[in-house]
């Protein structure tokens, strides 16, 4: 994995190093977005010729005299891409963000414009937070070590000796 650590101004090494994106990951990302866009244009075409009946994202005829809510690509993006992404990535979490999370299941009757919770939970692997090492849980070695350190050293050690006393050297 190649690292790009050159500072823009002087060409010197910088503290803000980051790994470059692997070519295969970038290629699959762009390909997936292109496929999603092509299917969106196909669905718009099917709506125009009358084969698809969902017109929930099309502005009504009575609104012709008003300024349009969407430009052509804004409306396309809202109809065909954003609704699918919001259903995939906007799921409500109902547990602590440990290595696995409970998400609430939901359904939509109007092509993902509005969601209705079903009351069921689903256990999923947590890929959406920085807690992949499971430090947030309420049991385990990290929690026990933290509780022991709080008991031994207290909460605040940044004060004068007159306030909280002397801090023992470790």
């Amino acid at each position: 994995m190649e690292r790009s650590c050159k500072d823009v101004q002087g060409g010197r090494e910088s503290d803000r190093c980051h790994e470059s994106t692997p070519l295969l990951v970038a290629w699959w990302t762009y390909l997936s977005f292109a496929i999603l866009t092509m299917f969106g244009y196909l669905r718009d075409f099917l709506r125009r010729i009358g084969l698809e009946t969902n017109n929930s994202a099309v502005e009504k005829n009575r609104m012709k005299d008003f300024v349009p809510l969407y430009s052509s690509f804004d409306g396309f993006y809202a109809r065909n891409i954003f609704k699918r992404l919001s259903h995939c990535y906007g799921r409500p979490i109902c547990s602590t963000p440990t290595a696995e999370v409970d998400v609430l299941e939901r359904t939509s009757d109007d092509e993902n414009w509005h969601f209705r919770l079903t009351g069921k939970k689903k256990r999923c692997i947590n890929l959406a937070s920085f807690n992949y090492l499971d430090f947030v849980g309420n049991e385990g070695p990290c929690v026990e070590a933290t509780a022991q350190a709080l008991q031994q050293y207290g909460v605040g050690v940044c004060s004068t000796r007159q306030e909280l006393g002397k801090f023992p050297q470790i």
Side-chain angles (χ1 to χ4, degrees):
M1 184 71 53
E2 184 180 323
R3 295 178 68 86
S4 56
C5 298
K6 297 290 183 188
D7 190 21
V8 176
Q9 294 176 355
R12 63 184 189 277
E13 295 294 321
S14 173
D15 291 338
R16 293 182 293 217
C17 294
H18 63 277
E19 294 179 2
S20 59
T21 305
L23 185 60
L24 185 64
V25 171
W27 188 82
W28 276 112
T29 302
Y30 287 121
L31 180 67
S32 299
F33 192 74
I35 290 171
L36 190 61
T37 304
M38 285 190 305
F39 274 107
Y41 281 118
L42 176 67
R43 290 189 71 193
D44 276 354
F45 174 73
L46 293 176
R47 280 186 203 109
R48 223 174 296 127
I49 64 173
L51 291 178
E52 185 172 330
T53 58
N54 177 24
N55 292 320
S56 63
V58 177
E59 293 185 18
K60 309 292 183 221
N61 285 335
R62 64 177 187 217
M63 304 300 254
K64 282 183 181 178
D65 297 331
F66 295 100
V67 176
L69 291 175
Y70 302 115
S71 69
S72 60
F73 187 74
D74 291 342
F76 169 80
Y77 186 83
R79 282 190 306 275
N80 299 302
I81 297 173
F82 178 73
K83 291 190 308 176
R84 284 165 176 52
L85 293 178
S86 67
H87 178 60
C88 182
Y89 295 114
R91 294 176 181 254
I93 296 174
C94 61
S95 67
T96 56
T98 58
E100 293 181 337
V101 292
D102 292 330
V103 295
L104 294 175
E105 290 186 4
R106 57 191 184 165
T107 185
S108 175
D109 300 323
D110 58 355
E111 298 289 326
N112 296 343
W113 284 103
H114 302 93
F115 294 104
R116 182 174 34 85
L117 296 175
T118 62
K120 298 178 184 175
K121 295 179 184 178
K122 186 176 184 179
R123 193 82 172 152
C124 298
I125 297 174
N126 185 6
L127 299 175
S129 74
F130 290 113
N131 190 32
Y132 50 87
L133 295 176
D134 199 18
F135 288 147
V136 177
N138 33 351
E139 57 188 36
C142 291
V143 175
E144 293 166 7
T146 303
Q148 180 183 0
L150 285 172
Q151 287 294 324
Q152 184 175 357
Y153 301 115
V155 178
V157 295
C158 301
S159 66
T160 63
R161 288 185 180 182
Q162 290 84 7
E163 289 182 36
L164 294 176
K166 182 179 173 189
F167 182 73
Q169 296 294 325
I170 298 176

